[in-house]
Amino acid sequence: MFSARLLAAAVVLPLLVAARPLPDALPHVIDKAHSEINFVADSRLLSAHGFFGKWDADVKLDAAKWENSTVAITIDASSINTRVERRDGHLKSADFFDVEKHPSITFKSVSIKQTGANKLDITGDLTVRGTTKRIVVPATMVFYEGGMGRFRGQFAINRLDYGVAYDSKLNPIQNEVQVQWDIALAEPKPAAK
C-alpha cells in the first residue's frame, strides 16, 4: 500500500507541475523620451530620413524565458515626418501610405527566439497599407535589469510587398526601405497608496 502511494506520487506530481501554466510575462511601459522608430528611403537625389511621431506599444516581457514575451506596436501613419512638409503630404497620399484608408501601421509578434546572449529574433506580422506580411525583426538587448531595459535593431522591407509602388522618372526610389528602432521600457511603478 505504502509503495503504491509513493509510486502514484512519483507519477502524478511531475504531471501536475508540468500542467501548471507558465508565469505570465510582465507588462512594460514605453519610455517615449528614449524611444524612436526611424526609416531611410533612398532615391537617386536623396536618402530621405524620417520617423513616426505617434506610436504606441503593448510589450510583455519574461526575462527568464524570452519566448514567453510578446510585442504589439501600432503606428499612426499620418505622423510620418521627413522634415519636409510637401514630401510628408505626398507620403500620406494614396501614392504611398494612403493614410485616409489605412491610418495605422501595425506589428504583432507571433514568436520570440533568443539567438545569443543579448540577441533576439522577433517574428511577427507587419501590416502596411492593409497588406500583412510575416517578417523577422532582429533585436539587440542593450541592457535589461531591475525591470528596466533598452532594445534596438534594424531591418529592411521591400515597399512593393505592401503596395507602396509609386515611383518617379526623375528621381527613382529604391524598393528597399531601412527601418531602425530603439525602445526603452520599464515595468510600471506600483500606484501610490
Side-chain angles (χ1 to χ4, degrees):
M1 181 95 169
F2 181 71
S3 60
R5 284 183 183 167
L6 279 177
L7 180 61
V11 171
V12 172
L13 280 175
L15 292 174
L16 289 174
V17 170
R20 283 190 348 218
L22 293 169
D24 289 335
L26 297 173
H28 284 62
V29 177
I30 304 300
D31 176 358
K32 289 291 183 71
H34 297 98
S35 301
E36 53 189 29
I37 299 174
N38 303 317
F39 63 87
V40 180
D42 287 318
S43 65
R44 177 183 291 170
L45 299 178
L46 178 74
S47 294
H49 294 253
F51 64 93
F52 291 96
K54 295 180 183 176
W55 58 275
D56 209 349
D58 179 8
V59 179
K60 295 179 177 68
L61 297 181
D62 181 348
K65 201 168 184 181
W66 290 109
E67 56 264 36
N68 292 338
S69 305
T70 60
V71 178
I73 295 174
T74 301
I75 299 169
D76 178 349
S78 69
S79 73
I80 193 166
N81 188 332
T82 63
R83 301 168 189 87
V84 177
E85 190 174 336
R86 183 175 175 187
R87 180 168 58 217
D88 294 344
H90 193 195
L91 289 170
K92 294 174 191 178
S93 76
D95 284 342
F96 289 95
F97 288 103
D98 199 3
V99 300
E100 285 192 19
K101 290 184 182 174
H102 308 287
S104 298
I105 297 168
T106 62
F107 175 81
K108 186 173 184 180
S109 67
V110 295
S111 69
I112 295 179
K113 179 181 178 184
Q114 186 165 5
T115 58
N118 63 339
K119 301 286 185 184
L120 303 169
D121 274 352
I122 306 169
T123 300
D125 293 331
L126 176 66
T127 302
V128 179
R129 201 180 151 118
T131 298
T132 302
K133 299 284 184 183
R134 186 151 292 178
I135 64 170
V136 177
V137 177
T140 297
M141 179 172 51
V142 178
F143 80 95
Y144 187 83
E145 55 195 38
M148 296 178 58
R150 177 180 166 221
F151 298 80
R152 63 180 169 82
Q154 69 178 51
F155 60 96
I157 60 171
N158 187 323
R159 66 189 181 94
L160 300 181
D161 290 344
Y162 298 91
V164 183
Y166 175 84
D167 215 343
S168 164
K169 290 181 180 178
L170 295 176
N171 186 29
I173 303 165
Q174 295 292 316
N175 294 333
E176 191 172 85
V177 177
Q178 299 293 325
V179 179
Q180 183 275 331
W181 59 274
D182 200 328
I183 296 178
L185 39 67
E187 291 177 22
K189 294 179 181 175
K193 293 183 180 180

